Amino acid sequence: MEFCPRCKSMMMPAKNVFKCRKCGFEKDIKESFVSTTERKEREVTVLEGREMGMPTIRAKCEDCGNDTAYWWLRQLRSADESEVRFFRCTKCGKTWREYN
């Protein structure tokens, strides 16, 4: 890493010189400049389906009587008011909300 002697900004390599982006000062690259990045393969978990990975709670659905629902929070009103909790039945898919 090289810094400009005039303005102290970081200099970037351009062809065979280091060039300052701020003031335009150029300095020859005396040594070979090599930049390498090592990338490792990684495993990515894919969740399929709309509700995969969502938390569940015991909440009774008024339509089908099921007692398990997915839930999530959303800030719908101003920041000084509480969040709204949404529920979606795991059986029939009905969505409803609860205010605090």
Side-chain angles (χ1 to χ4, degrees):
M1 188 178 304
E2 291 285 326
F3 292 94
C4 179
R6 290 185 191 163
C7 66
K8 309 298 185 219
S9 294
M10 188 169 69
M11 298 176 70
M12 303 302 287
K15 295 184 182 176
N16 58 347
V17 296
F18 283 113
K19 186 173 183 177
C20 178
R21 290 183 178 175
K22 194 172 183 181
C23 71
F25 179 80
E26 292 184 359
K27 178 182 175 183
D28 289 333
I29 297 176
K30 294 178 182 173
E31 300 170 7
S32 63
F33 180 81
V34 178
S35 176
T36 59
T37 303
E38 186 178 316
R39 261 188 117 157
K40 296 180 182 178
E41 290 293 322
R42 61 181 187 181
E43 188 175 310
V44 177
T45 304
V46 177
L47 299 176
E48 293 184 5
R50 200 168 175 191
E51 286 83 17
M52 292 292 292
M54 291 181 69
T56 58
I57 191 169
R58 293 180 77 71
K60 187 161 182 146
C61 176
E62 293 179 7
D63 283 5
C64 70
N66 185 30
D67 65 348
T68 307
Y70 300 110
W71 68 274
W72 66 96
L73 296 172
R74 288 283 156 93
Q75 184 72 42
L76 297 179
R77 297 174 278 178
S78 62
D80 63 339
E81 296 185 36
S82 64
E83 296 174 314
V84 178
R85 188 182 324 197
F86 286 89
F87 299 94
R88 179 173 292 137
C89 178
T90 57
K91 186 176 179 183
C92 71
K94 176 188 166 142
T95 303
W96 68 96
R97 60 176 81 181
E98 177 184 277
Y99 299 97
N100 289 341

